[in-house]
Amino acid sequence: MTSPATTSPTRAGIRADETHPRFVGQTIHFAGIGGCGMSGLARLLQQLGARCTGSDLVESDITRSLREDAIPVTLEQSAESVPMDTTLVIASAAIRPDHPEVLAAESRGLPVMTYAEALGEAQTCRTGVSIAGTHGKSTTTAMLCHTLLQCGLDPSFIVGATCPQIGGGSHCGTATVPGTGPYGGAPGYLIAEACEFNRSFHHHRPTIGAIGNVEEDHLDIYGTLDAVVEAFADFARLVPPADAGGHLVIAHEGAHRRTITAGLNCRISTLGFSPAADFQVFMDAATQRVGLLQHGLWLTQWTMVMPGEHNAMNSAMAATLAHLMGGDWEQIGAALSSFEGLDRRMQRLGTRAVTGGDVIVYDDYGHHPTEIETTLRAIRTAEKPERIICVFQPHQHSRTRFLLEEFAQSFASADVVIVPHIYFVRDSEIEKQRVSACDLVDRLRQRNIAAMHLYPFDAIVEQLNVICRPGDCVVIMGAGPVWQVARQFVNADAS
């Protein structure tokens, strides 16, 4: 491993205390502002000198919070929703080109940017830190932000999930990096997840990049795993050369490291359980203790609240990045020990009373076979339940169809699986006809796993009330609205 840069990298023409020249004074309308990323970016740009408004279709805690922060939000999406003094429209990934607000902006000659484009533009006046990978981006980002805050560093960040310990999911930090670390005095950090969907992470402008893992996903966009790997390689090439402070941290195993790092000019550090990695991770599953070494030298250790080897890797990635960004090892270990988790990432909601005892209830965002397998295995190890009853809502018909056999294999740690309708998002109507929840149920039954297709959510809650018994663990999984099942069940009275 090469050592961190000893100089303070800067962006040409940008003073550390300067508001963003692209956004200052602008009136920016956010089409689809209700997500964690869009709402966080709106708050950030408002603090960088813009005036922001937004629209969404559903009232939520996020939209209410935005109004409290002086960002007006309308619950109607139409041409009239775009204020007349708007100078720029930023659209979420869910907004199609024929959306009425996009068409209204184009008819008025207003520029339209995607969320990823605007985020990348914002990174040009900060020291950008982009965290990529098929899994674990939100968890790693939240862990990193919490750690830096505990270390006395004050980053700006946008996290794709709610984390109460860091004030929700976004923050606008100091204009310069404090301290005497390798980036001390540089423009302040702007940390964000780098999502590979539709190659949106190619719009990022990171000084520091991270890749935790690379697997088959979004095959409706990429077609093959080779194309996914090439997209991550293109992302890695965005990291500037080492003499400009560029540094990439990549998993030693599971991230196609050799292909992705070939020909890079930035500094490269590897992270993994292998002793060949620059930063080696140790984990004691019985105690949830995690340790980190560098070339045999013990650096720090911590105790995790979130179980599983995957979360050990997520936390180790956060620790490694935090140190490269100026954090002290002792403070890093203490910070990660105090990290309490984030919403819908292996979130233990508590227990629900049933006749004769209690049932443990978890809520999780996992929607890829690897995420399902690792999460269920970690929960079985940590909780040792009599049975795991998993309610899994597939996310997108195309992902379900491409990875159907992998999904069927991923539930080996579950005793009962309940599958509602596939969450329909972005796919075409033709794709919707190619696969159904029943196809997954059939595959699970072929593997001797008790499985059933149930809908609506109320029927699933009723079924859970009937079948759950003391010692069970109910795990609600999926990226769609299936979280409602978890809340309804855990808050219901015992039958």
Side-chain angles (χ1 to χ4, degrees):
M1 187 197 80
T2 51
S3 60
T6 55
T7 58
S8 298
T10 58
R11 297 284 188 181
I14 300 292
R15 298 196 312 274
D17 60 347
E18 190 175 17
T19 54
H20 198 293
R22 178 68 174 86
F23 299 116
V24 65
Q26 297 265 18
T27 298
I28 304 175
H29 181 73
F30 287 75
I33 200 171
C36 291
M38 286 283 282
S39 60
L41 183 61
R43 288 191 174 93
L44 179 68
L45 297 190
Q46 183 132 311
Q47 293 178 65
L48 288 176
R51 187 177 78 82
C52 298
T53 67
S55 70
D56 212 280
L57 293 176
V58 180
E59 183 76 290
S60 66
D61 290 342
I62 289 177
T63 57
R64 286 186 285 268
S65 177
L66 286 167
R67 293 191 193 97
E68 292 172 0
D69 291 340
I71 298 177
V73 179
T74 178
L75 298 181
E76 178 184 352
Q77 291 190 324
S78 65
E80 291 72 28
S81 301
V82 183
M84 292 308 299
D85 61 345
T86 298
T87 56
L88 171 66
V89 171
I90 297 176
S92 80
I95 298 296
R96 296 180 179 274
D98 60 353
H99 189 277
E101 293 182 13
V102 173
L103 296 178
E106 292 173 347
S107 68
R108 287 156 55 179
L110 302 178
V112 179
M113 300 179 75
T114 66
Y115 164 77
E117 289 170 340
L119 176 58
E121 184 72 22
Q123 284 183 320
T124 62
C125 76
R126 291 291 187 266
T127 302
V129 182
S130 296
I131 297 174
T134 308
H135 323 292
K137 294 182 288 292
S138 295
T139 300
T140 302
T141 304
M143 287 175 167
L144 173 60
C145 295
H146 169 72
T147 300
L148 291 176
L149 290 170
Q150 295 299 305
C151 289
L153 302 165
D154 187 29
S156 299
F157 55 79
I158 300 173
V159 181
T162 301
C163 180
Q165 282 184 292
I166 59 175
S170 62
H171 174 68
C172 190
T174 52
T176 58
V177 177
T180 58
Y183 297 93
Y189 295 120
L190 173 49
I191 306 168
E193 301 168 40
C195 180
E196 72 274 19
F197 169 70
N198 213 19
R199 297 178 173 83
S200 62
F201 60 172
H202 293 167
H203 296 290
H204 283 231
R205 293 297 175 264
T207 299
I208 301 170
I211 300 175
N213 43 71
V214 179
E215 289 194 60
E216 287 181 311
D217 200 9
H218 303 298
L219 294 180
D220 54 324
I221 301 295
Y222 292 105
T224 66
L225 176 59
D226 287 343
V228 174
V229 173
E230 182 57 30
F232 275 89
D234 288 340
F235 163 76
R237 294 182 192 111
L238 297 173
V239 179
D243 58 8
H247 202 137
L248 175 71
V249 182
I250 186 168
H252 190 83
E253 308 101 346
H256 298 264
R257 171 177 52 86
R258 291 182 179 86
T259 300
I260 287 174
T261 60
L264 295 182
N265 295 318
C266 61
R267 286 175 168 80
I268 300 168
S269 298
T270 65
L271 170 73
F273 292 101
S274 169
D278 294 322
F279 291 91
Q280 184 183 4
V281 185
F282 276 89
M283 177 188 176
D284 182 343
T287 63
Q288 303 289 18
R289 295 289 288 176
V290 180
L292 192 63
L293 289 81
Q294 183 179 19
H295 302 309
L297 175 66
W298 191 263
L299 300 173
T300 190
Q301 62 182 348
W302 57 92
T303 302
M304 297 189 306
V305 171
M306 304 172 71
E309 287 187 358
H310 60 304
N311 281 317
M313 275 293 296
N314 292 338
S315 61
M317 178 67 80
T320 303
L321 291 169
H323 178 67
L324 296 177
M325 296 163 69
D328 172 76
W329 281 123
E330 184 175 352
Q331 290 180 311
I332 289 169
L336 287 169
S337 290
S338 69
F339 183 73
E340 297 173 358
L342 61 168
D343 286 359
R344 303 219 64 222
R345 269 58 177 188
M346 206 179 288
Q347 183 181 12
R348 196 181 194 274
L349 295 182
T351 59
R352 154 72 193 278
V354 296
T355 302
D358 292 330
V359 172
I360 298 168
V361 183
Y362 274 84
D363 187 22
D364 189 78
Y365 188 76
H367 54 282
H368 183 278
T370 299
E371 295 164 349
I372 296 166
E373 181 181 6
T374 55
T375 296
L376 294 179
R377 188 171 61 239
I379 290 174
R380 183 168 288 283
T381 299
E383 300 287 357
K384 298 178 175 57
E386 294 292 329
R387 298 185 303 170
I388 289 180
I389 300 172
C390 183
V391 179
F392 171 65
Q393 182 181 36
H395 188 265
Q396 292 188 249
H397 291 75
S398 56
R399 178 185 283 119
T400 306
R401 181 170 64 87
F402 281 122
L403 302 176
L404 186 59
E405 297 302 331
E406 290 86 345
F407 274 116
Q409 295 172 13
S410 68
F411 289 94
S413 293
D415 299 282
V416 179
V417 180
I418 300 174
V419 186
H421 291 336
I422 298 172
Y423 185 55
F424 181 58
V425 57
R426 294 196 295 263
D427 284 325
S428 66
E429 286 293 336
I430 294 175
E431 186 67 56
K432 189 176 182 180
Q433 304 305 315
R434 292 176 174 173
V435 69
S436 72
C438 293
D439 293 312
L440 177 55
V441 168
D442 288 343
R443 295 299 198 284
L444 290 168
R445 288 176 175 171
Q446 290 170 13
R447 294 175 179 274
N448 297 317
I449 296 174
M452 64 191 79
H453 171 49
L454 280 179
Y455 198 83
F457 289 163
D458 287 346
I460 296 175
V461 175
E462 291 174 5
Q463 182 71 1
L464 292 174
N465 289 332
V466 171
I467 67 175
C468 284
R469 56 188 186 230
D472 285 345
C473 181
V474 172
V475 183
I476 311 298
M477 301 188 79
V482 71
W483 60 267
Q484 297 171 19
V485 174
R487 268 56 178 187
Q488 289 178 37
F489 178 70
V490 78
N491 293 325
D493 294 329
S495 57

